[in-house]
Amino acid sequence: MKIFDTIGKFVVNTYKDTWKLIVFVKEIFKWMLVPPYRFNQIAEHIEKIGIQSIIIVSLSTFTTGMIIGLQLVNIMRLLGAQTFAGAGVAISMSREFAPVITAIVLIAKNGSSMTAEIGSMKVTEQIDAMETMAVSPLRYLVIPRIFASIIAFPALTALANVVGVFGGYVASVYVMQVNAVFYSKTMFFWVDADDIVTGIIKAFVFGFLITAICCYHGLKTKGGAKGVGESTTRAVVISTVSILIADYIMTYIFITFFGL
Amino acid sequence: MGSIIVKVENVVKSFKDVKVLTGVNLEIEEGKITTIIGKSGTGKSVLLKNIIGIMKPDSGKIFFKDSEITAMTGIELLAVRKNIGYLFQDAALFDFMTVAENISFPLVEQLGIEKQSELKEKVEKLLDLIELPGIENKFPSELSGGMRKRVGLARAIAVEPKIVLFDEPTTGLDPILAESIDKLIEKVNKDLNMTCIVISHDIASTFRRADKIAFLYEGTIQFFGSPEEALKSKHAVLKQFISNSFRPLETE
């Protein structure tokens, strides 16, 4: 019976948490429409999320591109179609891997730090202090991060596309000895704007989702250092699972309703 | 009797199954120092947080002048908070900002002051008031506990609120520092004409500075009156509270 009790509590708590998160997201939408916008803060966060992540995102997606290149050439060689690996790498990178890998890297690098920063402010009463000074923590701390993320995530994803495709090219052409000209020709023939646009739209949604989840968990942190650690872990786990679920839903919508 | 600036009516607040406030009634007179005393964990800080609206009571009403704080939400509540300053127990300074930025924060956010020269002038004036000139560029981590509390006070009074709430302003400080904070509270009250609500465990200082004392016990205010009246009170726990605080050291 204990197992049913545990499952029941888990379901109830998940439902309650999800509902609170939906209310929080509704509040975010409301405040996003209310000026003034804190451009200095937004720029500061774009620098942290975007510019300071260029190397790590490039490294991750370059490696991912190389791995996909190796695997695709290896499989397609059996069919004698290894030159099509270029198209395979580019389409899979732009539609799936670039936005997802970028999002996972940014969850680890920035999402966790958002939760930890806001969470430690919460447990040291700095959030309460902000409220006593008639400043909405959501408006001051969350909204600039949201704007920065929905700008930086797509920008980094665009970069990840280029770097990932280059990684695939290096692995396919220089390691697996695929003909460079045919590789590039098939890639440019098969890849179109839809592939890139769907990936960028996904990155935009991931940026919003990750920032909302991480800030939400920061703001509801309780207890001391242990509470901050627990919130950060929860935020990272939930963000990661959420982007994968969101990715599936968006892919289904793009394919089924828009034929993309 | 002066006009009432804050009125607390039958406020009840629980955390899960623990009832902290079971029906608090309190009236704060404008321009006075009212000190709330009581055992640790009796809900004094909870009461202050309810007054400023960062916590909501389960039932009961709280008024700031004629406006009911407990009925407000969102922007309305933020607007009322502009009249109330709050000094947290650990000062709650923003650790990613310098002292000057901390003090400027309410000036920028509430008053919309953006001119750097004006901000600088106001920060200098406030630092002079708390007798800590020249620490504008220090971070909170570089300050002692007493300094942090004083900077917290400067931030709390920066926008010249009508009331300042002090949550255990002298706890953890040595007697000399505690005395300096007490003097600052008096200065804020007398020179700047701000109503002060102070939570304190320092009974000696309470009797020196407070105009009114409220004794919170078992979730309700069980005594409210002047220090002289408190000394004459027949409330057993209050009497014990006061006598223990003034009892001389036992000698061999």
Side-chain angles (χ1 to χ4, degrees), chain A residues 38 125-126 131 133-134, chain B residues 49 78 81 94-95 109-110:
Chain A
R38 300 168 191 277
E125 293 187 311
Q126 293 176 54
E131 284 193 67
M133 286 181 276
Chain B
K49 286 178 180 173
L78 292 178
R81 284 190 194 140
F94 302 127
D95 48 18
E109 297 298 328
Q110 290 184 28

Side-chain angles (χ1 to χ4, degrees), chain A residues 12 35 41 46-47 65 85 93 105 157 171 178 205 219 236 254-256:
Chain A
V12 170
Q41 266 179 280
I46 287 176
E47 205 240 326
M93 275 310 294
V105 167
T157 299
V178 174
V205 175
L219 285 172
V236 168
F254 289 143
I255 292 173
T256 313

Side-chain angles (χ1 to χ4, degrees), chain A residues 31 38 41 120-121 124-136 140-141, chain B residues 49 52 54 78 81-82 84 86 88 92-97 105-106 109-110 155:
Chain A
W31 284 110
R38 300 168 191 277
Q41 266 179 280
S120 62
M121 284 182 76
T124 53
E125 293 187 311
Q126 293 176 54
I127 301 283
D128 284 346
M130 205 170 268
E131 284 193 67
T132 64
M133 286 181 276
V135 175
S136 157
Y140 191 84
L141 297 170
Chain B
K49 286 178 180 173
I52 202 165
I54 54 176
L78 292 178
R81 284 190 194 140
K82 289 179 182 173
I84 309 173
Y86 196 115
F88 283 82
L93 297 176
F94 302 127
D95 48 18
F96 55 94
M97 291 183 187
F105 185 83
E109 297 298 328
Q110 290 184 28
R155 188 179 68 178

Side-chain angles (χ1 to χ4, degrees), chain A residues 91-97 99-100 194-195 197-203 205-206 242-260:
Chain A
I91 292 170
S92 55
M93 275 310 294
S94 55
R95 279 180 176 260
E96 298 297 338
F97 288 104
V100 172
D194 292 347
D195 299 316
V197 169
T198 53
I200 298 293
I201 293 172
K202 282 179 182 178
V205 175
F206 293 164
S242 300
I243 60 149
L244 294 174
I245 294 171
D247 187 25
Y248 174 77
I249 295 170
M250 282 189 283
T251 306
Y252 179 80
I253 292 170
F254 289 143
I255 292 173
T256 313
F257 299 105
F258 298 98
L260 297 173

Side-chain angles (χ1 to χ4, degrees), chain A residues 54-76:
Chain A
I54 287 175
I55 293 174
I56 182 83
V57 166
S58 301
L59 200 64
S60 308
T61 45
F62 183 77
T63 320
T64 309
M66 285 181 82
I67 295 165
I68 301 169
L70 289 180
Q71 292 285 12
L72 283 179
V73 172
N74 197 30
I75 295 164
M76 289 181 159

